[in-house]
């Protein structure tokens, strides 16, 4: 929703204002009831609905968009049809190229096969393949920067490289890790660890976390997921809590959802255990 300068029928808040998010939440707190669930972050609103038939989804979403449009006109807000997209998620590969026909104020919304919401790129099977491919390309560029700092004689020290990698590479690689950490396309950060430790490609992978003094990527993602689940469990008022503790049945079960593994893991103990198993396998 964006204000139109000079239009007396539309109002808005200045971008970058400290109070703008709070004021906007108060102003839009009474959004109309819809068939689908609403997920809101600032002025980005996502409507999600489940159904067995595409026609059912199109009808319900178009009806919800009409209700939202009426609410916006009533309270002098203007939804941005050009920035609004439709998408769907399913495992029916023969319908992978099918597009939804959803309308907002008589205008058909653009259908996006790989929508990006809050920095996470989704696909119709929720495999997170597209997101991890983009993340891998981003990390490749940042690793090229670290190669300039990791000279064998004149380069930065291992501690400096480690701190820089955690700030630049790992922060980008682990963004929203609880969402995609169980994906079959999960990328690894071995190249970053090799730059920090100065090891050759023939060095076994389990050695890299030890030599770079950084927990294995899988355990770091698991720790991030455990932290998020712990925070959700503590807040009974959060709407997301029932989705985790009492998930609905209609889900893409092959995507290994978050609630299949809610047992917290001590990352240090598990790392030590995995390292002992690796050493034992080498000795035997």
């Amino acid at each position: 929703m964006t204000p139109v300068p000079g239009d007396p029928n539309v109002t808005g808040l200045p971008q970058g204002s400290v109070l703008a998010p709070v004021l906007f939440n108060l102003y839009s707190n009474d959004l109309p009831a819809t068939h689908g669930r609403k997920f809101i972050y600032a002025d980005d609103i996502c409507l999600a609905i489940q159904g067995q038939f595409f026609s059912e989804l199109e009808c319900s979403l178009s009806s919800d968009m009409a209700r939202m449009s009426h609410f916006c006109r009533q309270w002098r807000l203007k939804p941005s049809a050009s920035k609004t997209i439709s998408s769907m998620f399913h495992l029916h590969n023969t319908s992978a190229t099918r597009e939804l026909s959803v309308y907002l104020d008589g205008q058909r919304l653009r259908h996006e096969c790989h929508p990006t919401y809050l920095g996470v790129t989704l696909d119709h099977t929720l495999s997170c393949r597209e997101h991890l491919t983009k993340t891998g390309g981003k990390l490749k560029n940042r690793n090229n920067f670290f190669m300039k700092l990791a000279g064998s004689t004149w380069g930065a020290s291992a501690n400096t490289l480690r701190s820089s990698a955690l700030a630049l590479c790992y922060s980008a690689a682990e963004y929203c890790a609880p969402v995609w950490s169980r994906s079959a396309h999960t990328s690894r950060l071995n190249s970053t660890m090799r730059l920090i430790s100065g090891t050759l490609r023939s060095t076994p992978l389990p050695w890299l976390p030890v030599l770079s003094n950084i927990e294995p990527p899988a355990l770091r993602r698991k720790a991030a997921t455990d932290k998020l689940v712990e925070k959700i469990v503590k807040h009974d008022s959060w709407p997301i809590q029932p989705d985790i503790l009492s998930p609905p049945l209609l889900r893409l079960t092959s995507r290994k959802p978050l609630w299949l593994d809610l047992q917290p893991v001590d990352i240090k103990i598990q790392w030590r255990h995995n390292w002992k198993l690796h050493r034992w396998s080498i000795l035997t």
Side-chain angles (χ1 to χ4, degrees):
M1 302 177 188
T2 56
V4 178
D7 189 343
N9 298 320
V10 182
T11 186
L13 291 166
Q15 186 174 2
S17 173
V18 177
L19 291 178
V22 177
L23 294 176
F24 182 82
N25 289 337
L26 294 175
Y27 191 76
S28 60
N29 188 49
D30 58 342
L31 290 174
T34 55
H35 295 95
R37 296 183 59 184
K38 293 184 286 292
F39 300 89
I40 306 174
Y41 183 84
D43 61 343
D44 290 329
I45 302 177
C46 174
L47 289 172
I49 193 170
Q50 293 178 324
Q52 291 183 318
F53 305 100
F54 295 120
S55 58
E56 176 186 353
L57 296 176
E58 292 171 343
C59 181
S60 298
L61 288 175
S62 295
S63 176
D64 286 348
M65 296 304 295
R67 295 183 182 184
M68 295 295 294
S69 178
H70 175 74
F71 173 85
C72 293
R73 289 195 302 269
Q74 183 180 6
W75 295 105
R76 302 175 62 191
L77 295 172
K78 183 178 181 180
S80 178
S82 61
K83 296 181 180 179
T84 305
I85 63 173
S86 65
S87 187
M88 55 185 175
F89 311 99
H90 56 84
L91 298 179
H92 198 240
N93 292 330
T94 57
S95 302
T97 58
R98 193 189 190 286
E99 297 184 355
L100 289 176
S101 295
V102 182
Y103 292 86
L104 172 62
D105 293 335
Q107 180 178 349
R108 185 177 183 270
L109 299 180
R110 177 173 55 90
H111 185 89
E112 180 63 56
C113 295
H114 300 127
T116 300
Y117 186 65
L118 300 182
V120 178
T121 303
L122 307 173
D123 53 88
H124 80 275
T125 63
L126 294 181
S127 65
C128 296
R129 179 176 181 178
E130 294 296 324
H131 177 74
L132 295 177
T133 300
K134 290 183 179 180
T135 302
K138 184 185 300 184
L139 294 180
K140 183 177 179 180
N141 294 333
R142 301 193 180 194
N143 284 334
N144 290 336
F145 167 75
F146 275 98
M147 290 179 64
K148 307 298 182 180
L149 302 179
S152 57
T153 57
W154 52 267
S157 64
N159 290 334
T160 301
L161 292 176
R162 178 182 180 276
S163 300
S164 302
L166 290 175
L168 295 179
C169 292
Y170 279 79
S171 60
E174 296 174 352
Y175 174 72
C176 283
V179 174
W180 52 262
S181 61
R182 290 156 303 283
S183 171
H185 305 282
T186 303
S187 59
R188 299 182 178 181
L189 300 178
N190 300 332
S191 56
T192 304
M193 289 184 175
R194 293 188 192 280
L195 292 175
I196 297 173
S197 58
T199 55
L200 302 176
R201 288 188 176 271
S202 58
T203 305
L205 295 182
W207 282 83
L208 299 182
V210 178
L211 295 176
S212 60
N213 194 25
I214 299 178
E215 298 87 348
L219 291 181
R220 289 178 60 90
R221 293 192 290 266
K222 173 60 177 173
T225 303
D226 293 342
K227 184 178 180 180
L228 175 63
V229 172
E230 181 183 3
K231 184 183 297 185
I232 293 174
V233 172
K234 289 182 178 179
H235 295 80
D236 297 334
S237 60
W238 286 12
I240 195 176
Q241 190 184 87
D243 293 336
I244 303 300
L245 302 182
S246 301
L249 297 178
L250 292 178
R251 291 286 182 171
L252 304 183
T253 55
S254 65
R255 301 295 79 139
K256 299 179 182 179
L258 173 64
W259 49 83
L260 291 182
D261 183 18
L262 297 179
Q263 186 66 29
V265 174
D266 189 305
I267 185 173
K268 297 295 183 181
I269 296 177
Q270 187 63 39
W271 185 13
R272 190 177 298 110
H273 174 71
N274 295 345
W275 173 242
K276 289 182 179 179
L277 291 179
H278 173 70
R279 291 182 59 191
W280 176 255
S281 63
I282 294 179
L283 294 177
T284 56

